[in-house]
Amino acid sequence: MNAATTPRSKPGLWLGLFFAAIAVIAVLKTTAAINPGTAYMLLAGSFCLLVPFVRATRRNRGACSSPAAARYTKGIAISSALYVAGLGIAVYLDNRMELEGTAGFLVALLPVLPIFGMIWVMARYLMEETDEYLRHLAMIGALCGLGLVLGVGSFWGFLETFGMVPHVPGWWAVPIWAVGMGLGRAFMSMRDRAGADE
């Protein structure tokens, strides 16, 4: 089977399922159909849908084009898994005991340390990647994520100030940033694919 007859993977399907899962979880939590602990666990689980999304995007683009990109993919996968595990453990412990002082501080660090890992992996990738186009894609994706965090955070903050919406915990910044980065990368992949098909 040659490249022309190989069926394309569908990253949009996985991204759509990810957003649908988040929307369903948000509705269930807002209507009190599920408790906050269950909502956080389901949210963490929904991030598993980003794994096939990344794989499908990579298959459409071809094999990993550089050693730096391979290290980046592995590092982000490990950091993301540790983040989900840390979030799950922190929520579980918070639901079952009253966390105060040093214990509360240490439990709060469980999902935060992997976030620093993600930042380090991305910074290392940008320093090590020799392909300027791949580095450009990574920077645009990161900027899309940052733009979404700043835009959504500011808009929600004003709505909250005016008493129109409830308070949202600050840790939502990371999932929103990841969604923005994924959307930015997906848009650029679709744009590149459309250009290649012409």
Side-chain angles (χ1 to χ4, degrees), residues 111-193:
V112 172
L113 292 176
I115 293 171
F116 286 118
M118 290 178 201
I119 294 167
W120 179 78
V121 166
M122 283 192 262
R124 180 179 173 201
Y125 172 69
L126 291 174
M127 289 185 287
E128 291 180 349
E129 181 57 74
T130 56
D131 186 310
E132 290 181 18
Y133 178 68
L134 292 178
R135 191 168 50 233
H136 170 74
L137 289 179
M139 286 191 290
I140 294 297
L143 284 173
C144 288
L146 177 62
L148 189 63
V149 167
L150 294 174
V152 169
S154 297
F155 181 57
W156 194 273
F158 281 117
L159 291 176
E160 189 177 328
T161 299
F162 302 147
M164 300 174 72
V165 294
H167 174 70
V168 172
W171 60 262
W172 271 95
V174 172
I176 292 171
W177 176 82
V179 167
M181 187 170 72
L183 287 172
R185 297 292 293 258
F187 172 76
M188 289 184 299
S189 270
M190 288 187 290
R191 185 196 63 187
D192 291 349
R193 190 169 47 227

Side-chain angles (χ1 to χ4, degrees), residues 3-174:
T5 60
T6 302
R8 286 191 182 266
S9 299
K10 306 246 186 241
L13 169 68
W14 295 108
L15 194 62
L17 287 173
F18 171 71
F19 285 123
I22 289 178
V24 168
I25 293 164
V27 168
L28 290 173
K29 184 176 181 308
T30 303
T31 59
I34 56 176
N35 63 41
T38 302
Y40 296 141
M41 294 301 289
L42 290 173
L43 178 67
S46 71
F47 276 82
C48 294
L49 292 169
L50 293 179
V51 173
F53 164 71
V54 170
R55 287 183 179 161
T57 302
R58 197 164 297 275
R59 269 195 300 271
N60 284 348
R61 202 175 13 164
C64 212
S65 13
S66 75
R71 284 190 295 274
Y72 168 79
T73 302
K74 182 179 178 182
I76 288 294
I78 291 169
S79 298
S80 298
L82 291 173
Y83 172 74
V84 169
L87 179 62
I89 292 168
V91 168
Y92 177 83
L93 293 175
D94 183 53
N95 286 340
R96 278 156 184 75
M97 56 182 65
E98 290 185 28
L99 298 172
E100 296 177 353
T102 305
F105 180 82
L106 293 175
V107 168
L109 278 177
L110 289 175
V112 172
L113 292 176
I115 293 171
F116 286 118
M118 290 178 201
I119 294 167
W120 179 78
V121 166
M122 283 192 262
R124 180 179 173 201
Y125 172 69
L126 291 174
M127 289 185 287
E128 291 180 349
E129 181 57 74
T130 56
D131 186 310
E132 290 181 18
Y133 178 68
L134 292 178
R135 191 168 50 233
H136 170 74
L137 289 179
M139 286 191 290
I140 294 297
L143 284 173
C144 288
L146 177 62
L148 189 63
V149 167
L150 294 174
V152 169
S154 297
F155 181 57
W156 194 273
F158 281 117
L159 291 176
E160 189 177 328
T161 299
F162 302 147
M164 300 174 72
V165 294
H167 174 70
V168 172
W171 60 262
W172 271 95
V174 172

